[in-house]
Amino acid sequence: MQNLIHNLKYRNHQEIGTFLGNWYANDLKEIAKEHAFSEIIPVPLHQKRLKERGYNQVTTFCKALSENLEIGYNETLLYRNVYSKSQTKKSKEARAEVNNSLFDVKYTTADSGKHFLLVDDVITSGATLEACARALLKIPNTKISIITIAYTDS
């Protein structure tokens, strides 16, 4: 899995995201029906990082989930407003210090009461997902579920 994620994230093998999204969607079909997710929300990259990399590594994964599960995909609701260094070399303690003001939302009243499926590639400390969830919870009556492609013990 580590090699797959590395190739997806750093070597522009976006087809890996599509493959994994199709595969995971098979296992998520019943869960998706039961929880009635409104939209799939990717953890966003800062515009500078997006420009450097050229793509968000979770986009193809999210789009495959969206198509297979027939759930809307929204990459504009949640945004990252602070550029920061990659967390891959940070300790678990340093990752946990992710500032809650790194992420924010642009929402309308139509977004109220939705159940969002928040998606990231890898969960380590959970700090990034927590900061994203806090931003999404600014939307009234919001519910959030989380899925990642992988997790790490380090």
Side-chain angles (χ1 to χ4, degrees), residues 1-152:
M1 186 55 86
Q2 185 177 7
N3 285 334
L4 286 173
I5 298 287
H6 186 82
N7 282 300
L8 171 63
K9 195 168 185 170
Y10 301 113
R11 295 195 176 135
N12 200 14
H13 288 284
Q14 296 180 63
E15 69 278 5
I16 293 169
T18 302
F19 170 79
L20 292 172
N22 290 334
W23 184 21
Y24 282 42
N26 232 6
D27 291 335
L28 290 172
K29 283 185 178 169
E30 290 306 311
I31 294 169
K33 284 179 192 171
E34 183 181 322
H35 291 284
F37 302 119
S38 307
E39 290 180 327
I40 295 172
I41 309 293
V43 168
L45 297 179
H46 187 271
Q47 287 301 318
K48 184 175 177 182
R49 171 83 67 228
L50 188 58
K51 190 173 182 180
E52 290 168 356
R53 189 175 293 158
Y55 62 97
N56 183 338
Q57 68 274 10
V58 296
T59 297
T60 55
F61 180 75
C62 288
K63 287 182 176 179
L65 289 177
S66 173
E67 290 171 21
N68 283 282
L69 301 175
E70 298 177 357
I71 301 169
Y73 171 70
N74 187 335
E75 63 185 352
T76 60
L77 182 68
L78 179 67
Y79 65 94
R80 187 178 193 121
N81 54 26
V82 177
Y83 178 80
S84 59
K85 298 280 186 189
S86 172
Q87 294 199 73
T88 56
K89 305 264 191 269
K90 291 182 181 178
S91 69
K92 193 170 189 172
E93 293 76 25
R95 289 171 188 258
E97 293 176 12
V98 169
N99 188 327
N100 287 329
S101 66
L102 288 178
F103 298 95
D104 209 347
V105 287
K106 292 179 192 169
Y107 69 93
T108 66
T109 55
D111 296 309
S112 297
K114 289 186 176 180
H115 185 175
F116 298 112
L117 181 60
L118 180 61
V119 181
D120 203 1
D121 56 353
V122 179
I123 186 170
T124 303
S125 70
T128 298
L129 288 164
E130 183 179 348
C132 288
R134 286 184 192 275
L136 287 167
L137 287 170
K138 293 177 183 177
I139 304 169
N141 303 312
T142 297
K143 284 179 66 177
I144 299 165
S145 294
I146 294 171
I147 185 173
T148 63
I149 297 172
Y151 71 93
T152 181

